[in-house]
Amino acid sequence: MPKERLDKLLASQGLGSRSDMQKAIRAGRVTIGGTVCRSPADKIDPEDRELCLDGRPIQYRRYLYLMMNKPAGILCVSRDPKVPTVVDLLPAEFRRKGLFPAGRLDRDTVGLVIITNDGDYAHRVLSPAKKVVKRYQALLDGPVGTEEVKAFAEGVKLADGTLCRPAALRLLPQEPGPLAEVEITEGKYHQVKRMFAAVGRRVLWLKRCAIGGLILDASLPEGGCRELTAPEQALVWEKCQ
């Protein structure tokens, strides 16, 4: 990979601000290949040389891929001056510049969100041309049946005349109320809620459970997050299981 300034590179790994890293470098706390470096402007290839801060090796990662179980009431954006966002929930070890959610969930919608700083990966996840399936569970204000299943399969027309792509609708056990599972391959504004509204039903609760073959980790508490493994990152291109 191209060489980068040492202070910028260290800051990109969530180790502190660029100013913090400049101070650490000048204080002799950083080594490159076992040799102390005191110049923040030195350029290195982190994949070619071992970097250490205070004697601890730094596992350089150009891109970060996180799975979050988004809670209700949190905005699914990078930043907002008034309201907490999914990026604000990240623990210190994951915080770095450039992170953003790959696709949005409504403020009151919960479930799976991918947070990354890899713009190309996010674009492919979100692009309608890639037809990546997003699976949701919805608690409704009343039951749905074969007519609604057929309407979703044919492509629901929203109240404003927008025609949605064909979507899969499945009925789930009716506990604690009418529950349905929906799979869509696009991401229009409030799409799932508007689709149900078009067939006369209101969504009371909504959760995203999967993106492609990547299923939300059942052990992840609301507001929790963890890194995605390389195989998990690739699962988004697979079919929902």
Side-chain angles (χ1 to χ4, degrees), residues 40-56:
D42 277 4
K43 293 186 176 182
I44 70 163
D45 180 348
E47 296 179 348
D48 183 54
R49 307 285 299 279
E50 183 185 57
L51 273 177
C52 292
L53 174 64
D54 296 328
R56 296 191 300 273

Side-chain angles (χ1 to χ4, degrees), residues 41 53 57 74 86 88 98 103 117 121 158 184 186 189 220 234 239:
L53 174 64
I74 302 296
V86 290
D88 292 331
N117 57 348
Y121 180 85
L158 304 180
I184 61 175
E186 52 190 347
Y189 180 71
L220 204 59
K239 292 183 178 180

Side-chain angles (χ1 to χ4, degrees), residues 120-195:
D120 180 64
Y121 180 85
H123 174 74
R124 288 183 290 134
V125 170
L126 299 174
S127 173
K130 299 298 182 182
K131 297 182 180 179
V132 174
V133 173
K134 288 82 174 179
R135 181 196 296 164
Y136 296 81
Q137 287 186 354
L139 180 65
L140 308 173
D141 66 346
V144 290
T146 55
E147 288 188 9
E148 289 80 11
V149 171
K150 181 180 178 183
F152 272 54
E154 292 176 347
V156 171
K157 180 178 286 190
L158 304 180
D160 63 359
T162 300
L163 183 63
C164 296
R165 285 182 175 182
L169 172 61
R170 287 185 289 273
L171 312 183
L172 298 176
Q174 306 295 295
E175 296 281 348
L179 199 62
E181 188 172 80
V182 184
E183 291 182 358
I184 61 175
T185 57
E186 52 190 347
K188 294 179 171 63
Y189 180 71
H190 289 181
Q191 182 172 340
V192 174
K193 294 176 181 178
R194 294 165 69 200
M195 289 171 70

Side-chain angles (χ1 to χ4, degrees), residues 221-240:
E222 285 197 354
C225 70
R226 66 167 177 80
E227 284 195 71
L228 291 173
T229 64
E232 286 177 329
Q233 294 165 31
L235 280 176
V236 298
W237 320 122
E238 304 295 331
K239 292 183 178 180
C240 286

Side-chain angles (χ1 to χ4, degrees), residues 5-209:
R5 275 183 60 114
L6 183 57
D7 56 351
K8 182 179 179 181
L9 189 150
L10 293 174
S12 77
Q13 300 305 292
L15 299 170
S17 69
R18 195 161 172 177
S19 176
D20 291 337
M21 293 302 97
Q22 289 172 355
K23 292 176 182 177
I25 295 165
R26 293 190 178 106
R29 295 167 55 197
V30 176
T31 60
I32 303 174
T35 302
V36 173
C37 177
R38 296 180 184 270
S39 173
D42 277 4
K43 293 186 176 182
I44 70 163
D45 180 348
E47 296 179 348
D48 183 54
R49 307 285 299 279
E50 183 185 57
L51 273 177
C52 292
L53 174 64
D54 296 328
R56 296 191 300 273
I58 297 166
Q59 301 300 320
Y60 175 79
R61 289 166 295 179
R62 183 178 182 186
Y63 295 122
L64 193 61
Y65 306 87
L66 304 172
M67 170 192 291
M68 174 174 284
N69 185 2
K70 176 190 172 299
I74 302 296
L75 288 186
C76 201
V77 296
S78 297
R79 62 186 64 85
D80 187 276
K82 299 180 180 179
V83 182
T85 73
V86 290
V87 172
D88 292 331
L89 296 183
L90 296 177
E93 64 265 30
F94 293 145
R95 293 190 179 183
R96 60 183 65 183
K97 289 184 178 180
L99 288 173
F100 61 93
R104 296 186 178 184
L105 291 180
D106 301 339
R107 185 170 175 175
D108 60 344
T109 300
V110 302
L112 175 58
V113 174
I114 296 174
I115 299 175
T116 185
N117 57 348
D118 186 342
D120 180 64
Y121 180 85
H123 174 74
R124 288 183 290 134
V125 170
L126 299 174
S127 173
K130 299 298 182 182
K131 297 182 180 179
V132 174
V133 173
K134 288 82 174 179
R135 181 196 296 164
Y136 296 81
Q137 287 186 354
L139 180 65
L140 308 173
D141 66 346
V144 290
T146 55
E147 288 188 9
E148 289 80 11
V149 171
K150 181 180 178 183
F152 272 54
E154 292 176 347
V156 171
K157 180 178 286 190
L158 304 180
D160 63 359
T162 300
L163 183 63
C164 296
R165 285 182 175 182
L169 172 61
R170 287 185 289 273
L171 312 183
L172 298 176
Q174 306 295 295
E175 296 281 348
L179 199 62
E181 188 172 80
V182 184
E183 291 182 358
I184 61 175
T185 57
E186 52 190 347
K188 294 179 171 63
Y189 180 71
H190 289 181
Q191 182 172 340
V192 174
K193 294 176 181 178
R194 294 165 69 200
M195 289 171 70
F196 277 111
V199 296
R201 284 288 170 254
R202 184 164 63 92
V203 174
L204 305 178
W205 171 87
L206 188 63
K207 179 178 184 177
R208 183 157 66 193
C209 304

